[in-house]
Structures are given as C-alpha cells and as structure tokens.
Amino acid sequence: MRLEIREHTDDKYVEAVCRGFVDRKGLMEAIADLRRVEGYVDGLNALWDFREADLSGFAADDMKAVLAYMEQTPRRKDVQIAILVAGAADLLLLKLWQVVSNRRYGQTTKLFTDREDAHRWLSGPG
C-alpha cells in the first residue's frame, strides 16, 4: 500500500490517501504515520481516502488485528473520521468499520463517496 499524507490544519483535519493493495501491515503502518502528524494524537480529525485502494484482500481477521493495534494507544475521543470510498463492495466493508469504531473509540466515523462532502463535514463547526 502506498500512503500520501496531506495536512489540512486550517480545515481541522489530516488526510490519508491510500493507494494499491491494502493489507493489515500496510494499514497499521499508515496509522503509525498519521500518529506522527502534529496534533493527530491530540484530536485532529482525519479523512481516510480509499478511492484508489484495493480492499479486496482485507478480511475480518485483518480488521481485528488493526483494532487491537489501535487499542495500544490513547483513544482519540470527540474526533471526526471521514472515510472516502469508491465502490459498493468497499462501502460494505467500511460500514462495518464505521460501526465498530464508533462504538469502540467514541469517535464519529462517517462514510462518503464525494470528497467535497467529506471536506465540508470535517472542516465545518464542531
């Protein structure tokens, strides 16, 4: 997986653009990279862009492992996480992620297919 991080500090969020085949190791590395962005651990919102990513090999066991990895660091409560997807299959997988992360981490996660809608939601009042 290739990751590009774009900081939008004026708009209150950081963007993680994921490309290529996504697996457990790559996603954990992406999370680690985001944690190094100033303000991220303290509550900066995030936009995960999976429109150019291949999530076809990401299984339930991978999701469990990534969630366990996320448990190793302080929870980022009261943050907004926008997830940008392209296709219906990815939407179903990430809908499950949305439900689990909302319950488990106290963050608000929302799925989008339009980048501008995600941007407005993240950079708006809140």
Side-chain angles (χ1 to χ4, degrees):
M1 179 178 93
R2 295 178 316 282
L3 175 72
E4 178 185 349
I5 294 176
R6 301 174 184 160
E7 295 183 47
H8 300 272
T9 51
D10 290 346
D11 293 318
K12 308 176 196 171
Y13 71 95
V14 62
E15 181 175 3
V17 181
C18 303
R19 295 183 177 96
F21 186 77
V22 176
D23 62 6
R24 161 189 328 194
K25 182 179 180 234
L27 194 52
M28 288 181 189
E29 289 172 357
I31 292 167
D33 288 345
L34 276 182
R35 288 177 179 157
R36 289 190 278 277
V37 171
E38 186 176 339
Y40 183 79
V41 175
D42 298 324
L44 191 61
N45 295 328
L47 169 61
W48 285 87
D49 185 346
F50 289 104
R51 291 176 299 171
E52 296 179 40
D54 177 358
L55 296 169
S56 64
F58 200 77
D61 286 343
D62 297 317
M63 189 177 296
K64 287 179 190 175
V66 171
L67 290 168
Y69 174 71
M70 289 173 63
E71 290 285 340
Q72 298 170 12
T73 59
R75 295 181 183 201
R76 294 172 3 95
K77 292 187 183 225
D78 301 321
V79 296
Q80 293 175 276
I81 309 296
I83 301 175
L84 199 50
V85 297
D90 293 346
L91 191 64
L92 291 174
L93 172 68
L94 293 170
K95 181 71 174 167
L96 175 60
W97 182 270
Q98 174 189 15
V99 169
V100 171
S101 66
N102 283 351
R103 286 186 188 155
R104 205 165 179 174
Y105 302 109
Q107 60 193 25
T108 304
T109 304
K110 208 168 168 186
L111 301 174
F112 296 89
T113 56
D114 182 82
R115 188 184 183 292
E116 288 307 311
D117 289 344
H119 170 79
R120 276 191 295 279
W121 182 68
L122 287 170
S123 57

